[in-house]
Amino acid sequence: MSTVIGTHSRQQLSLPVEVLLQILESLDGEDRVATLLHCAITSRTVLHCARSSLYGFVTLTGYTVPKARLLSRTLNEDPSLGALVKSLVITRTRRVENASPVESLITSGLLPFHLLTNLRDLTIARVLLKSPQDLIEIFGVLPHLERFACDLVYAGKRSSLEGPVDPSTTQAFLGPLLPLLKHIEVSSGEWDHASIAQNLLEERDGAQAGRKLEAIHALAPGVGGVLAWVPVICAARAQLHTLIANVTDAGPYDLQVRAPPWALALADQHAGGHHAYLLDAISQCSSLRFLHLHHIPATFPFGASSDFLSLLDGLLGRRPAPLPALEHLTLNMVDREGCMVSVTDESRHRLAESLLDKRRYPAFRALTLRVQPQKWVYHTDTWSSNMSETVLNALEDALVERWRAAFDALGRNPDVRLDVTMERPRPRPQI
């Protein structure tokens, strides 16, 4: 099928609808919406294509209440438009102009999520949640969601830290929760992300969302932040190809491990400790191709010394190889005034020996090291990554060279790419 676009002259341009859709979907920048609106008035067919592009990717940000209400009214007046929304981003929402976010906009009462019947991608960032239960209720009406990402999410209520979620409170409206979910990202913030993990594990109508996942980014903050996601990793082990996770050491002042009782109970059953519990779960993911581990050592120097890299060596050195499809290993590590935290001569030699064994890891091609420098702060008796750009620039070359030399056994191999970069601290979040 083709469409004819009229112009002010007698000339007409005939294009296949598929080509026209690609052209309109490629529009970007601040003038995208205005351009689509101008295109929409040229013909009925172009109107249809422009409408698909206009509603296909929706972003709500800033002073959002009027935008959200307008979108809600539009979708309620014409529910067919809701089916056009494929991607929704909600970020930096504010109820009052030029003010900080004080109340959640992520509720089914403000936005008609039940009309977004074809939503595939949902991202929330730098927002407040009234309760994680609001998010779970929204998930219940998004049966086609394939990707969910959240970063810098905050909420006052952390129900699963007080006890498990009662399935009877959600069973009536949920049905199979996110049956097509393939990709989930949980990054920094302060909210009850564990309740999402728990609900993904619950069987509903014979379905369990965790079994469909192909990529998990479990970067939840704090000691034990990843523990709630270990059972999800196990559930997804057959098809999981990408995993990014925090591995946080416990220091002497980490009296409360930030994980719900049900997750702690499972982790405490593992004799090797929490790190070994996570790595044993990873060892079951035989299809894993990309593994990225963020090692976060204890801040205080008199905490237990880190055994992270030796435990990882133990995982990769198992026979038969637990991760035969592994292609790329990325490690976020810490350098403390020239000391490579968790790295010993034995651990780096064992790592190279395992990864360079082509009989066990035939697909392995790259090791990436992202190294964060830290300095000792005397007045707080802690290690800190807070340094000026001038100091970081002065440290960078020597730090990169030192870590590259330490892992040179991998760097010298012509079949393996060794990348070493200095990781600069993430800016303080502003929500």
Side-chain angles (χ1 to χ4, degrees), residues 17-83:
V17 171
E18 295 79 6
V19 174
L20 181 59
L21 278 170
Q22 289 184 8
I23 294 173
L24 294 178
E25 289 177 358
S26 69
L27 295 174
D28 199 1
E30 297 180 356
D31 297 330
R32 173 180 174 272
V33 173
T35 303
L36 288 171
L37 291 175
H38 285 303
C39 291
I41 62 176
T42 59
S43 73
R44 289 183 180 274
T45 304
V46 179
L47 168 63
H48 173 76
C49 295
R51 182 180 288 169
S52 296
S53 297
L54 185 62
Y55 285 92
F57 304 90
V58 176
T59 297
L60 296 175
T61 186
Y63 181 34
T64 311
V65 171
K67 304 174 188 177
R69 287 177 177 164
L70 178 60
L71 178 63
S72 178
R73 186 183 69 188
T74 303
L75 297 183
N76 279 298
E77 291 176 352
D78 188 353
S80 65
L81 296 176

Side-chain angles (χ1 to χ4, degrees), residues 20 142-143 155 178 210 327 356:
L20 181 59
L142 299 176
L178 303 179
E327 298 178 18
L356 294 178

Side-chain angles (χ1 to χ4, degrees), residues 107-172:
T107 65
S108 55
L110 184 63
L111 285 173
F113 284 93
H114 64 284
L115 296 179
L116 308 182
T117 53
N118 288 319
L119 189 68
R120 300 294 199 272
D121 189 323
L122 174 62
T123 298
I124 60 174
R126 301 173 184 264
V127 298
L128 294 173
L129 288 176
K130 180 180 179 182
S131 165
Q133 192 66 22
D134 290 336
L135 200 53
I136 294 172
E137 291 181 11
I138 289 169
F139 286 162
V141 295
L142 299 176
H144 294 104
L145 195 69
E146 297 179 358
R147 178 184 178 274
F148 170 66
C150 62
D151 187 22
L152 292 173
V153 174
Y154 296 84
K157 187 176 180 181
R158 303 174 67 188
S159 59
S160 74
L161 294 184
E162 301 164 5
V165 176
D166 181 4
S168 64
T169 63
T170 57
Q171 185 75 25

Side-chain angles (χ1 to χ4, degrees), residues 269-285:
Q269 294 174 12
H270 197 286
H274 293 173
H275 288 358
Y277 173 59
L278 169 63
L279 293 175
D280 276 354
I282 295 174
S283 72
Q284 302 175 38
C285 304

Side-chain angles (χ1 to χ4, degrees), residues 246-261:
N246 278 347
V247 184
T248 307
D249 294 341
Y253 293 104
D254 297 313
L255 301 180
Q256 180 184 2
V257 177
R258 290 196 281 184

Side-chain angles (χ1 to χ4, degrees), residues 189-218:
E190 189 69 37
W191 66 295
D192 184 15
H193 58 85
S195 62
I196 304 299
Q198 185 179 21
N199 275 269
L200 289 177
L201 292 167
E202 291 180 0
E203 293 275 358
R204 293 186 176 91
D205 296 345
Q208 186 187 74
R211 293 175 183 163
K212 299 284 188 180
L213 283 167
E214 297 176 358
I216 298 175
H217 296 197

